[in-house]
Amino acid sequence: MLKKISPFLLFSLISVFGYSQNEDLFCDQVKALKKVIEVNHYLPKTVDDSLSTHVFDLFLNNLDENKRLLTKSDVTSFEKDRFELDDYIENNSCDFIDKYAMVLNERIENSKKVISSLESENFDYSGKDTLRFKPESKFIYFKNEEAIKRYWSKRLRYNILYTLVENDSILEHLQSDFKTLESDLKPKLIQKELCKLEELQNRLGSVDHFVKETFLNAYLHYLDPNSSFFNASEKEIFENSLSNDQLSFGIITSKNDDGDITIVHITPGSAAFNNGNIEVNDVIKSLHSNTETLETYCVSNEDVMAFTSDQNHNTIIFKIKKQNGTLKNIELTKTKTKTEENTVSGYIIEDKSKVGYISIPSFYSDLESPNGLGLANDVAKELYKLQKENIQGLILDLRFNGGGSMKEASDLSGMFINRGPLSILKYSNGETYTIKDSNRGALFTKPIVVLVNNYSASASEFFAASMQDYNRAIIVGSTTHGKASAQVILPLDVDGKLGFSKLTVEKFYRVTGKSHQAQGVIPDIILPNLYDGFKTQEKFIDYALANDSIAGVKYPKHKQLPIKQLKKQSIARINSNANFDAVKQLNQLIIKNYFELDTEYLLTLDNVYQEMTSYRDQWRTMNSPLKNHISNFTVKNTEYTKEVISYNDDKKTINQSILKDLKNDIYIEEAQTILQDLLNLIPLN
């Protein structure tokens, strides 16, 4: 069955009471999910006590990630399910889920009461209480009601002091006006915390839905961290993120400090853009479709995105509050809109030689057709423009590229080699399939540098590994994420009413037979990175698939590149470069103050002020070289792009900002210097 799944379609990326109908739905979802996993997952795990205890831990941790709601007695009462979940799954017994939804909702309501009661309490900032900061791994559940009240009292007092210092960096001002400033800020921050709790209650529509989908995800994440449950809206959002165009209103929203959902961007050519009555900074008060209404007060931006992305909400009435305070009802219908994030543009970098630069944000594609045109086609167009400018080399930037379509990664790889195998897919039954570039000839044959970092994953690793194995490019940056598995989205039932599973169905290997799974693609030249040591890569995630190897295939490797010499020259530059020294220092500052922070001090204005200003001063000092850095090379547009943007003032402004960012990027600077060194070592004929 698995062999029939085309490798090119894979992605490498209410009240809580009275359940009856919802309970039946949840039972059907669990039953269907079990079957889908058994038939399709790359490495399905037996439903037994081992699965039960691990799913239990994942489920509980995700219900209350920061241990700010549940109590020790709650967890103790839940413990009887630790070795029973497998039996519930096997017997399709679903009423166990009710108590989790009920208890979580009770704890949220209780926290809201505790927080509300603190509004009339006079807070003590004398230092009688101690603030303790510790790594997330050391968080514990509340012992009792007193512990809950003590936690929220301290948290609110710290938030008040923190916000005051953020608003005014002069301690004397804060000390002299403290009572007035504190009494004004306190009710606002209390309301903000209450709103966050209501957001949790409204997440996915209700606590009930949130708890049930959290369990379905725990079940899937025990198999591997890249398998997930999607409701219809989540599926739509995920697919839109991998598409080069989508049905949308063309509005990007965000939640501001006042808790309002604001419009932060309007896509040119979209329904919102063409309507003309919606502007950036407008506040969305409510959304109304034919079937549902969403009031945006105390609702997360994610829920707003889910509502507008829902394929059943193609026409919505947006209730908008304008900046002058007036209210407007504006009806919009989705139109096919180009996804701005999923576009590529070529730029020219001039130093000793002229080279091209293309940033690849994701391996997006036309998901409506297996033969649709996406990222690879767009890169080919940009390459055509760049080659008309007589570039001598090319930088492909895959930093923060989380992956996407395997077809696009394969097509892009094929553009830079003559012909040959690119990767090996392995199915759950042990059979393999070799992905090949069947088109003879390359679109670009000159030297290439590929930039990657810790967040380059999946399809971007597929491409980087292919270029590295063929000696076709110098890979520069940080060790990549380490995801060498492929997923498909499968409905849990025929019409998708039960939801969908993004399921891992294959692993992919380099043509050498080696795998970068849980290891990452190791660059030929490693550069210091702000995210080093953050432990975000796949190998640090529970239940990641193991690294292994299979038999490789023959492939026509290019002549060995002078990596040793290039690496020596790069290291010499890095070691004497104040910017990369700053990156190393900032990296350690973040790790020390966020990931490894384990300290305590008295809860006073002076102490919070000292803590904040000390960190801020260190950051400012360390960041100074980066902030003031200007590269020596020149960045400019192709003649074609100059012509296109000359007719649009908005595009001109955006373009100038992009050119400035590219010029000041120390990683692009080092990448182009490495490329210049490579051109010197292997002169073009």
Side-chain angles (χ1 to χ4, degrees):
M1 171 177 275
L2 281 174
K3 287 195 292 183
K4 294 181 182 178
I5 299 175
S6 167
F8 295 143
L9 294 180
L10 297 167
F11 302 116
S12 44
L13 317 142
I14 307 173
S15 168
V16 298
F17 307 104
Y19 296 105
S20 58
Q21 186 176 352
N22 285 339
E23 205 60 68
D24 291 340
L25 174 66
F26 177 64
C27 268
D28 290 342
Q29 288 174 318
V30 174
K31 184 178 180 180
L33 191 58
K34 179 177 179 289
K35 184 176 180 180
V36 167
I37 289 169
E38 288 172 346
V39 173
N40 297 290
H41 194 271
Y42 176 78
L43 198 64
K45 295 177 180 177
T46 305
V47 179
D48 56 14
D49 281 354
S50 178
L51 176 142
S52 183
T53 186
H54 289 295
V55 171
F56 177 82
D57 285 334
L58 282 169
F59 176 49
L60 211 58
N61 288 338
N62 291 329
L63 278 184
D64 186 12
E65 286 183 282
N66 297 312
K67 297 182 172 63
R68 291 177 180 171
L69 295 168
L70 299 175
T71 65
K72 285 187 175 182
S73 62
D74 295 332
V75 176
T76 299
S77 71
F78 295 152
E79 275 291 332
K80 70 182 184 67
D81 287 336
R82 178 174 289 280
F83 296 104
E84 300 295 328
L85 294 181
D86 57 319
D87 298 320
Y88 300 151
I89 293 170
E90 288 285 11
N91 300 326
N92 206 30
S93 174
C94 306
D95 57 356
F96 76 93
I97 203 74
D98 296 356
K99 62 179 174 291
Y100 293 93
M102 184 175 68
V103 170
L104 183 61
N105 193 64
E106 286 176 355
R107 291 295 167 241
I108 294 172
E109 286 296 334
N110 185 59
S111 294
K112 286 163 67 176
K113 288 177 184 175
V114 169
I115 293 169
S116 296
S117 71
L118 293 172
E119 189 159 6
S120 60
E121 183 177 298
N122 290 321
F123 280 167
D124 185 343
Y125 301 95
S126 67
K128 180 181 177 182
D129 290 321
T130 302
L131 281 171
R132 290 184 175 85
F133 296 90
K134 52 191 175 184
E136 188 176 321
S137 59
K138 295 183 180 179
F139 290 174
I140 58 173
Y141 292 106
F142 295 127
K143 290 181 180 179
N144 49 40
E145 187 76 17
E146 184 57 35
I148 295 172
K149 185 172 182 179
R150 188 164 59 249
Y151 166 79
W152 283 112
S153 174
K154 283 188 180 183
R155 178 181 175 85
L156 281 163
R157 280 181 283 168
Y158 176 76
N159 286 350
I160 289 168
L161 295 177
Y162 188 96
T163 306
L164 288 176
V165 176
E166 266 197 328
N167 294 341
D168 191 337
S169 60
I170 300 174
L171 182 59
E172 290 74 16
H173 292 174
L174 298 174
Q175 289 171 330
S176 61
D177 297 330
F178 183 76
K179 284 187 177 181
T180 303
L181 294 169
E182 192 268 354
S183 63
D184 181 56
L185 187 58
K186 182 180 175 182
K188 295 177 182 176
L189 292 188
I190 284 177
Q191 184 55 46
K192 194 172 183 178
E193 291 295 342
L194 291 171
C195 225
K196 287 179 183 177
L197 291 171
E198 287 191 26
E199 280 182 27
L200 181 56
Q201 285 181 303
N202 295 325
R203 190 173 174 184
L204 302 177
S206 69
V207 171
D208 182 35
H209 286 154
F210 168 68
V211 169
K212 287 172 180 174
E213 293 195 14
T214 298
F215 178 81
L216 297 175
N217 270 306
Y219 186 2
L220 284 161
H221 291 167
Y222 172 58
L223 301 170
D224 75 280
N226 297 299
S227 292
S228 302
F229 172 80
F230 284 161
N231 57 42
S233 295
E234 289 167 336
K235 171 180 174 285
E236 192 82 5
I237 291 171
F238 178 78
E239 290 182 338
N240 285 343
S241 72
L242 298 176
S243 176
N244 50 354
D245 54 36
Q246 57 181 279
L247 272 176
S248 78
F249 299 107
I251 290 173
I252 297 176
T253 58
S254 180
K255 190 156 191 166
N256 66 18
D257 289 340
D258 294 327
D260 293 324
I261 300 294
T262 61
I263 296 170
V264 295
H265 181 71
I266 298 172
T267 304
S270 66
F273 182 88
N274 292 332
N275 179 276
N277 291 309
I278 294 182
E279 300 171 290
V280 169
N281 295 323
D282 283 351
V283 173
I284 299 176
K285 303 301 289 183
S286 70
L287 301 165
H288 177 70
S289 72
N290 287 334
T291 56
E292 293 180 76
T293 297
L294 179 69
E295 301 290 341
T296 62
Y297 180 70
C298 291
V299 169
S300 70
N301 190 53
E302 289 72 23
D303 284 333
V304 171
M305 288 172 58
F307 191 94
T308 57
S309 298
D310 193 320
Q311 59 186 350
N312 296 315
H313 299 162
N314 284 330
T315 297
I316 288 179
I317 296 174
F318 290 74
K319 188 173 185 178
I320 298 292
K321 182 179 180 182
K322 308 296 289 183
Q323 292 181 65
N324 62 7
T326 59
L327 294 173
K328 282 189 175 183
N329 288 326
I330 301 168
E331 182 176 287
L332 297 177
T333 299
K334 290 178 182 176
T335 57
K336 205 81 168 177
T337 306
K338 181 74 175 174
T339 306
E340 288 185 290
E341 292 81 4
N342 291 342
T343 55
V344 295
S345 294
Y347 300 88
I348 298 164
I349 293 176
E350 283 194 90
D351 194 357
K352 296 172 185 175
S353 302
K354 187 188 291 186
V355 300
Y357 170 87
I358 300 175
S359 176
I360 300 176
S362 73
F363 285 86
Y364 56 85
S365 189
D366 181 351
L367 300 181
E368 294 181 1
S369 168
N371 299 314
L373 301 177
L375 179 278
N377 184 65
D378 288 351
V379 170
K381 290 177 182 177
E382 292 305 306
L383 261 180
Y384 174 76
K385 300 169 194 172
L386 288 169
Q387 291 194 90
K388 289 189 74 174
E389 306 274 350
N390 298 314
I391 60 169
Q392 301 302 301
L394 178 66
I395 298 170
L396 293 172
D397 194 341
L398 270 66
R399 290 175 297 169
F400 301 102
N401 182 322
S405 165
M406 294 279 281
K407 174 186 179 298
E408 296 297 335
S410 173
D411 288 349
L412 186 68
S413 300
M415 286 163 50
F416 302 108
I417 65 170
N418 182 34
R419 195 175 187 179
L422 298 168
S423 184
I424 307 166
L425 298 181
K426 183 181 177 184
Y427 307 106
S428 60
N429 61 6
E431 293 185 16
T432 60
Y433 172 88
T434 301
I435 299 176
K436 298 177 181 178
D437 169 34
S438 57
N439 299 315
R440 189 174 294 281
L443 191 63
F444 186 82
T445 59
K446 295 176 182 178
I448 300 171
V449 165
V450 177
L451 262 177
V452 295
N453 70 0
N454 320 58
Y455 297 96
S456 303
S458 200
S460 59
E461 293 176 286
F462 175 112
F463 175 76
S466 298
M467 296 298 96
Q468 192 174 52
D469 289 335
Y470 270 84
N471 293 327
R472 185 61 193 89
I474 304 293
I475 312 301
V476 176
S478 309
T479 300
T480 60
H481 181 74
K483 177 181 179 289
S485 60
Q487 289 72 40
V488 291
I489 298 177
L490 300 171
L492 296 186
D493 59 336
V494 176
D495 55 12
K497 288 183 178 179
L498 297 180
F500 305 82
S501 61
K502 177 167 70 77
L503 208 65
T504 296
V505 295
E506 300 171 356
K507 287 177 74 174
F508 60 91
Y509 297 77
R510 301 169 77 134
V511 287
T512 61
K514 294 181 179 179
S515 170
H516 63 261
Q517 171 62 30
Q519 176 179 306
V521 176
I522 301 170
D524 302 307
I525 299 174
I526 295 177
L527 305 180
N529 194 285
L530 189 66
Y531 311 100
D532 290 339
F534 282 19
K535 297 184 178 180
T536 56
Q537 291 103 319
E538 183 129 342
K539 66 181 178 181
F540 297 109
I541 305 175
D542 291 337
Y543 313 111
L545 297 177
N547 181 275
D548 62 351
S549 299
I550 60 173
V553 293
K554 291 182 179 180
Y555 63 101
K557 191 185 288 190
H558 287 232
K559 182 180 178 181
Q560 185 69 43
L561 292 165
I563 292 171
K564 188 175 180 180
Q565 180 62 27
L566 293 170
K567 187 175 181 179
K568 181 180 177 182
Q569 291 173 257
S570 179
I571 289 173
R573 283 191 298 270
I574 298 303
N575 288 340
S576 60
N577 189 312
N579 294 305
F580 283 107
D581 281 343
V583 169
K584 294 175 191 175
Q585 292 172 18
L586 290 170
N587 168 259
Q588 289 304 304
L589 182 67
I590 294 170
I591 289 174
K592 180 181 175 183
N593 283 273
Y594 287 93
F595 295 100
E596 297 176 354
L597 185 64
D598 196 343
T599 188
E600 61 181 61
Y601 53 79
L602 299 180
L603 179 52
T604 66
L605 173 62
D606 285 6
N607 283 335
V608 172
Y609 180 87
Q610 291 304 322
E611 176 234 358
M612 289 180 63
T613 53
S614 173
Y615 179 83
R616 191 180 292 163
D617 290 346
Q618 289 180 74
W619 182 275
R620 190 181 296 114
T621 300
M622 293 176 185
N623 192 50
S624 180
L626 293 167
K627 185 178 180 181
N628 300 316
H629 175 69
I630 300 176
S631 301
N632 292 322
F633 61 80
T634 302
V635 188
K636 63 181 185 179
N637 302 109
T638 61
E639 291 300 320
Y640 176 86
T641 302
K642 286 178 185 176
E643 174 73 16
V644 170
I645 66 176
S646 65
Y647 304 108
N648 189 309
D649 289 338
D650 289 339
K651 286 185 177 180
K652 283 182 189 176
T653 302
I654 293 170
N655 180 65
Q656 285 303 312
S657 177
I658 292 172
L659 293 178
K660 181 180 178 182
D661 288 343
L662 295 179
K663 182 173 175 59
N664 294 342
D665 190 315
I666 63 172
Y667 294 94
I668 295 175
E669 180 178 39
E670 181 58 21
Q672 74 87 22
T673 307
I674 291 169
L675 187 51
Q676 299 291 347
D677 289 344
L678 180 57
L679 289 167
N680 291 334
L681 290 169
I682 50 169
L684 297 175
N685 294 326

